[in-house]
Amino acid sequence: MNGVELTDGQIKEIKDRENINKAYGDAVNYLSYQLRTEKEIKDYLYKKEYHRDAVDDVIVRLEKLHYLDDGNYAKSFINTQLRTTANGPKIIEQKLHQKGVPDNIIQDKLFEIDEDTLIENATEFAKKQARKQKRASFSQMLTKIKQGLYQKGYNNEIIEEALKDLELEPDEDDELEKLRKLVQKVEHRYDKPEKLIKYLMTKGFHFDEIKKVLSEDSDN
């Protein structure tokens, strides 16, 4: 075969194969750091300016070798999120969509989450929120906790279970003391009692409590 010249078609075929092998090597190297989704691999290879045919070929090879599996990726990602963050299902779902995992896979894997794990995580997050709101009224503290849990991606059912586990109860003496401190801090801002009362009610304190504390203040 020595001295036989290759045709343009054969040269192109060789170059294409070399290009695919190079793309495959880059993809495997990219995967060696952590699991990736199909979309992440494609985006990475396109960024390196590989042709679509080469990228598609690499994806098929990786899937056959089980190096690439969006189902396994989603399961691993969800477990990591539940173990290391306070994120609930809605936030996890958003993150998986951003990584290009197909919706049907996301929904299947989210369905497998143990509800007790969600309640446990939500309760732990709620405890931290309660500690942050120790100066707030009981009503405002509950509102802040619920808002925080909702923003973290938990649904109403999980939120209610978490709050039930916390067994939070208002303490009348504690509420009055919080209110007294707040009055001392802000009363100078208001020239009329009704404006002060309105402000204090927006902070979750009840009208009767406010009247009681303000009457104490006027008696002194």
Side-chain angles (χ1 to χ4, degrees):
M1 297 289 291
N2 289 338
V4 177
E5 290 188 7
L6 297 174
T7 65
D8 289 344
Q10 289 171 321
I11 291 172
K12 182 180 183 303
E13 185 178 341
I14 291 170
K15 286 183 176 180
D16 286 346
R17 182 51 51 189
E18 287 178 345
N19 195 48
I20 290 171
N21 287 337
K22 188 173 184 302
Y24 177 77
D26 283 343
V28 170
N29 182 61
Y30 187 52
L31 276 166
S32 69
Y33 298 102
Q34 65 182 63
L35 290 176
R36 310 283 183 181
T37 64
E38 180 179 320
K39 180 181 183 298
E40 286 177 324
I41 291 292
K42 283 183 175 180
D43 288 347
Y44 175 75
L45 293 177
Y46 284 139
K47 192 174 180 180
K48 284 184 162 289
E49 299 184 351
Y50 286 109
H51 191 270
R52 179 176 177 177
D53 290 342
V55 173
D56 289 344
D57 191 290
V58 169
I59 294 297
V60 170
R61 287 171 67 178
L62 291 173
E63 287 177 339
K64 282 182 179 178
L65 291 167
H66 304 292
Y67 290 167
L68 197 59
D69 185 323
D70 280 353
N72 284 341
Y73 179 93
K75 184 175 182 178
S76 175
F77 184 87
I78 289 170
N79 288 338
T80 300
Q81 287 283 301
L82 295 175
R83 192 176 64 253
T84 63
T85 78
N87 290 334
K90 285 294 181 185
I91 295 297
I92 295 173
E93 179 181 356
Q94 289 173 13
K95 288 179 177 292
L96 286 170
H97 275 302
Q98 289 167 3
K99 290 177 177 295
V101 178
D103 187 64
N104 64 309
I105 292 177
I106 294 174
Q107 300 309 322
D108 286 346
K109 298 307 175 183
L110 288 176
F111 184 75
E112 295 174 4
I113 297 177
D114 179 48
E115 189 175 275
D116 289 341
T117 300
L118 291 178
I119 294 172
E120 184 180 329
N121 286 0
T123 303
E124 193 59 36
F125 177 77
K127 283 180 184 176
K128 293 177 181 178
Q129 293 302 299
R131 286 196 291 270
K132 289 180 180 179
Q133 299 296 327
K134 60 184 179 181
R135 294 182 181 178
S137 66
F138 184 78
S139 174
Q140 190 176 50
M141 178 184 68
L142 281 183
T143 299
K144 291 289 186 181
I145 291 173
K146 287 180 180 180
Q147 286 176 346
L149 286 167
Y150 185 76
Q151 289 168 357
K152 278 293 181 182
Y154 294 98
N155 62 28
N156 289 331
E157 184 181 342
I158 296 297
I159 290 172
E160 291 304 319
E161 287 296 325
L163 290 174
K164 192 186 298 182
D165 283 355
L166 281 187
E167 298 181 341
L168 295 171
E169 293 291 342
D171 182 301
E172 185 178 346
D173 291 338
D174 187 46
E175 285 289 283
L176 289 173
E177 187 56 32
K178 290 176 181 178
L179 180 53
R180 290 186 189 102
K181 288 180 178 178
L182 183 58
V183 169
Q184 290 172 4
K185 182 179 179 181
V186 303
E187 62 182 340
H188 68 279
R189 302 178 193 169
Y190 300 93
D191 55 353
K192 295 181 179 180
E194 56 266 29
K195 290 183 179 180
L196 175 59
I197 291 170
K198 186 176 180 180
Y199 169 79
L200 295 171
M201 290 183 71
T202 65
K203 294 299 180 181
F205 292 103
H206 298 298
F207 181 75
D208 290 343
E209 295 171 335
I210 296 169
K211 293 294 285 183
K212 182 177 182 179
V213 168
L214 291 182
S215 65
E216 291 173 355
D217 198 37
S218 62
D219 291 341
N220 293 333

